[in-house]
Amino acid sequence: MILSRQRLIAADAVFAPALVFAAHLAVREPPSPEPVVASWALAVAMGGPVAVRRVYPLSAFSVVLAAVVVAFATGTVPDYASPAPYACLAPVLYTAVLGGRWEPLAASAAAGLLVARDVGPWPLVLLALAAPGGIGFYVRERRAFAERTALQLAERAVSEERLRIAREMHDIVAHSLSVITVKAAIAGHVAAVRPQGTQEALRHIEETGRQALAEMRSTLAVLRTPEGRAETGAGAGAGTGPAPGLSDLAAVADHAARAGVEVTLDLAELPPLAPGLELAAYRIVQEAVTNVIKHAAPTACRVTVTRDLRITVVNEGEVLSGHTPGHGLTGIRERVAMYQGEFTAGPRPGGGFRVSARLPLGAGA
């Protein structure tokens, strides 16, 4: 159970009067008991600051240390009663070390006690200084380490999220622009001889552009909402629906067909997948088909997804010359690596190109 700061301060406020009373008894011990007023004043100076040690750690430590030094230097507290002043010094030393550098504090405590004439048994002195100071130093370093670790994890999460969004944006833009470019080229070729073909191509360009904008809004919604949640309710945009999955591959095949690539889907029945894993599988197929559109259209290709989530995209056409390599295969490789899967890609011996990826079924849970 972790107590809140307010409860810890309240506990100190309850504990401080007990220390004041113990210090008062120590000061009143013979052989030379102090007057009542003086003994209470010294006792309050030794035990009272404990009540505010979490609010004013250095000030509380300074007052208690000065009062303890005075008590020992004047012989007010005999050796057998010295545990009471040390009991007052230990908690304020702990909080002072916890909140600042420990070397000056330990040196000032040791120097102050050395100037005193009677400091009590040395083992007790060492215990009173080393134990709270060492514990305070250890706790402070552990907290600092935990804060550094949390910061590193947060920075890593931000970097991974940026990389994920970059992959999503690349897949969306690359696929949509590839289809739009092919259809625009078709429209330019048939404009003079078949005007109705031009209208169909322009309509397909419009549909592809709208779908790309909707997916971009859905992807970028995590940058505009707290904790990466998509917007909901009246203020939600049109593109903040669920992420696409393997059930949406028919739309990818339809887009490819309009761009001159006939896609055959062979999808096995799969168990329920983690959302991130299913999105990764969808993007792998989409990117592979986009590469076929960009580099081999018009042609035909087959998309196969087996029960062990092995994804294979094979096209039969020759890769067109004059195309510079893009980031498609790199993006697929990175997605597969995120889930510690397997990835291969390369030309087929009989012509065409083959992309194969396998994602572990239990990944992303």
Side-chain angles (χ1 to χ4, degrees):
M1 179 181 179
I2 299 177
L3 297 178
S4 64
R5 177 177 171 82
Q6 290 75 14
R7 290 188 177 183
L8 290 173
I9 293 175
D12 288 338
V14 173
F15 183 53
L19 290 177
V20 170
F21 183 72
H24 174 258
L25 294 179
V27 173
R28 294 288 296 169
E29 284 295 316
S32 56
E34 296 295 318
V36 174
V37 175
S39 63
W40 274 113
L42 190 57
V44 169
M46 284 191 287
V50 173
V52 295
R53 66 188 179 102
R54 299 181 192 276
V55 183
Y56 307 105
L58 293 179
S59 300
F61 169 75
S62 302
V63 173
V64 174
L65 177 62
V68 171
V69 169
V70 168
F72 286 139
T74 58
T76 303
V77 178
D79 288 350
Y80 66 87
S82 59
Y86 286 131
C88 299
L89 182 61
V92 293
L93 177 59
Y94 166 80
T95 50
V97 172
L98 188 64
R101 294 187 58 83
W102 63 274
E103 296 92 341
L105 298 173
S108 62
L113 293 175
L114 284 175
V115 253
R117 291 182 303 175
D118 297 316
V119 295
W122 278 107
L124 183 61
V125 176
L126 294 177
L127 181 64
L129 295 178
I135 294 173
F137 176 75
Y138 173 78
V139 173
R140 189 186 70 191
E141 292 303 307
R142 288 293 299 174
R143 289 181 180 177
F145 175 77
E147 290 176 1
R148 289 194 300 268
T149 302
L151 181 60
Q152 291 172 357
L153 290 176
E155 291 175 350
R156 179 180 175 182
V158 170
S159 299
E160 290 177 350
E161 182 66 10
R162 287 175 177 172
L163 182 60
R164 185 192 69 79
I165 292 175
R167 289 195 190 98
E168 294 297 314
M169 294 299 297
H170 170 267
D171 291 346
I172 293 169
V173 174
H175 173 74
S176 302
L177 288 184
S178 297
V179 174
I180 289 172
T181 301
V182 172
K183 296 304 290 185
I186 293 174
H189 282 297
V190 303
V193 296
R194 195 158 63 90
Q196 65 272 20
T198 304
Q199 293 177 354
E200 181 183 350
L202 291 176
R203 185 167 56 253
H204 187 216
I205 289 173
E206 180 184 4
E207 292 174 359
T208 303
R210 289 182 184 278
Q211 181 179 0
L213 287 174
E215 289 193 47
M216 289 173 65
R217 290 192 189 100
S218 179
T219 301
L220 295 177
V222 298
L223 301 179
R224 300 193 300 268
T225 56
E227 301 177 3
R229 295 190 299 269
E231 292 178 358
T232 57
T240 56
L246 294 176
S247 60
D248 300 301
L249 289 179
V252 175
D254 182 58
H255 277 255
R258 297 182 186 182
V261 176
E262 294 297 328
V263 178
T264 302
L265 296 176
D266 184 7
L267 309 179
E269 194 152 332
L270 294 168
L273 302 175
L277 183 63
E278 185 165 2
L279 176 61
Y282 171 86
R283 292 302 187 196
I284 289 171
V285 174
Q286 184 188 50
E287 185 58 47
V289 172
T290 300
N291 284 344
V292 176
I293 295 173
K294 290 194 293 186
H295 302 308
T299 185
C301 77
R302 173 176 288 275
V303 176
T304 304
V305 180
T306 62
R307 285 188 60 82
D308 62 344
L309 201 53
R310 180 175 292 277
I311 302 164
T312 307
V313 180
V314 178
N315 71 282
E316 302 172 354
E318 295 295 332
V319 176
L320 301 178
S321 60
H323 288 286
T324 57
H327 299 285
L329 293 181
T330 301
I332 295 176
R333 182 179 292 106
E334 290 176 349
R335 285 186 184 277
V336 174
M338 283 177 60
Y339 295 98
Q340 299 179 345
E342 304 169 3
F343 171 73
T344 58
R348 301 170 65 208
F353 201 84
R354 181 176 183 271
V355 174
S356 177
R358 191 186 71 82
L359 302 175
L361 283 174

